[in-house]
Amino acid sequence: MLFSAFVPIWVLTGTGYLVARRGLLGPHAETVLGRFVFHVAMPAALFPMIARTPLDRFANTSVLAFAAGTALAMGAGALLAVLVFGRGRGGGAVAGMAAGYVNSANLGIPVAMQVLGDATFVAPVVLLQVLVVTPVVLMLLDAESGTAVRPGRRLLDLLALPLRNPVLLAAALGAAASALHWRLPAELVRSCELLGGAGVPTALVVLGLSLHGRPPAEGRTPPAELTALVTLKTVLQPLAAYAVGHWVLHLPAGQLRTVALFSALPTAQNAYTYAREYGIGKVLARDAVLWSTLVSMATLSVLGWLLPAA
């Protein structure tokens, strides 16, 4: 049942809210746990996963269709944020991520198994998002935060960004290990998997923590902006991926179904993790994750029913 794939997300997010409401972890829990996810757990999960995934998985037409939908949704989200809603470059990057960065791990796998009966498309989607989309978003956030790009050293600072950012460093090391066909020690892989396994549940708990007792200054995302981003994520992105796959790449029905369903997955909690870490668009990312997850329960069900398996 598709609904069961969403239950852990709501349970862990609700747990975070209840923990904050009871004050069990103190006033700094969101900051400390958020930094743990960004600096420790997420890099630990990414490194062995990418290192063991052949990079040639990029080379297929299904990924091209998914990438086209992603680019269109993220570009539209970023432009709306900057040109219509008056956000800066960093805010546009967060909005773009909210509009096009899918929850490929903790939702993509169960949805793929229950609806498609095959989760092999998860790997190329993760590679695309981690090795292509994430660096672009983090470079924009890094530049907007004012902590990295200095006059006269812009190129050097951007080239050195992976050395300062643990997520990008782990992805780069994993890609290098994959390209060179390095066999990682089993002890290292197991240690990374144990540590990385804490990333997704902790990120969801942090998301729940952020929902309680937020300062009045944080406010809420304007309804028009939130509606636009959620619509881009749950409707436009899968339609665009399907259109490219059908009319441009001429994918068979089964691949079209896979591409459309993965494109319709809700915004990943990584969007909130990155926004919180850089202090840019945190409320926007949080609201997009929550509402796109809720809406996608309906859109994924409709797509799974409408699109033929073969």
Side-chain angles (χ1 to χ4, degrees), residues 20-49:
R21 185 178 178 86
R22 296 294 299 274
L24 297 178
L25 299 181
H28 304 296
E30 181 186 343
T31 298
V32 173
L33 290 179
R35 294 184 67 82
F36 167 76
V37 172
F38 185 83
H39 290 276
V40 181
M42 193 177 292
L46 288 176
F47 171 66
M49 178 186 65

Side-chain angles (χ1 to χ4, degrees), residues 73-82 87-101 133-145 225 229 267 270-272 274-275 278 280-282 284-285:
M74 293 190 70
L79 287 175
L80 279 174
V82 174
R87 294 186 182 269
R89 179 171 50 185
V94 172
M97 199 173 189
Y101 198 102
V133 178
T134 296
V136 173
V137 171
L138 292 183
M139 280 193 293
L140 291 171
L141 290 175
D142 204 64
E144 183 74 6
S145 68
E225 184 176 15
L229 289 179
T267 305
N270 290 10
Y272 174 73
Y274 299 153
Y278 283 93
I280 299 173
K282 183 174 76 171
L284 171 65

Side-chain angles (χ1 to χ4, degrees), residues 129-261:
Q129 295 195 142
V130 171
L131 298 181
V132 179
V133 178
T134 296
V136 173
V137 171
L138 292 183
M139 280 193 293
L140 291 171
L141 290 175
D142 204 64
E144 183 74 6
S145 68
T147 60
V149 179
R150 300 182 292 276
R153 298 195 63 188
R154 178 178 298 272
L155 179 60
L156 179 62
D157 285 333
L158 291 179
L159 291 175
L161 178 58
L163 299 178
R164 300 189 307 272
N165 188 297
V167 173
L168 295 185
L169 180 59
L173 291 175
S178 175
L180 296 172
H181 304 290
W182 286 343
R183 184 178 179 85
L184 302 179
E187 295 81 5
L188 174 62
V189 172
R190 181 58 178 159
S191 298
C192 287
E193 288 177 343
L194 285 172
L195 188 55
V200 169
T202 305
L204 291 170
V205 169
V206 172
L207 187 65
L209 291 171
S210 72
L211 296 175
H212 179 265
R214 56 184 180 272
E218 287 192 1
R220 295 179 181 276
T221 305
E225 184 176 15
L226 181 59
T227 300
L229 289 179
V230 172
T231 302
L232 287 173
K233 177 71 221 62
T234 59
V235 179
L236 177 64
Q237 186 176 359
L239 289 179
Y242 180 90
V244 171
H246 181 67
W247 283 292
V248 179
L249 300 174
H250 308 292
L251 297 179
Q255 292 182 35
L256 280 173
R257 191 170 192 252
T258 298
V259 167
L261 284 171

Side-chain angles (χ1 to χ4, degrees), residues 2 4-5 104-115:
L2 185 62
S4 64
S104 59
N106 62 312
L107 255 184
I109 293 175
V111 167
M113 292 303 297
Q114 293 185 48
V115 181

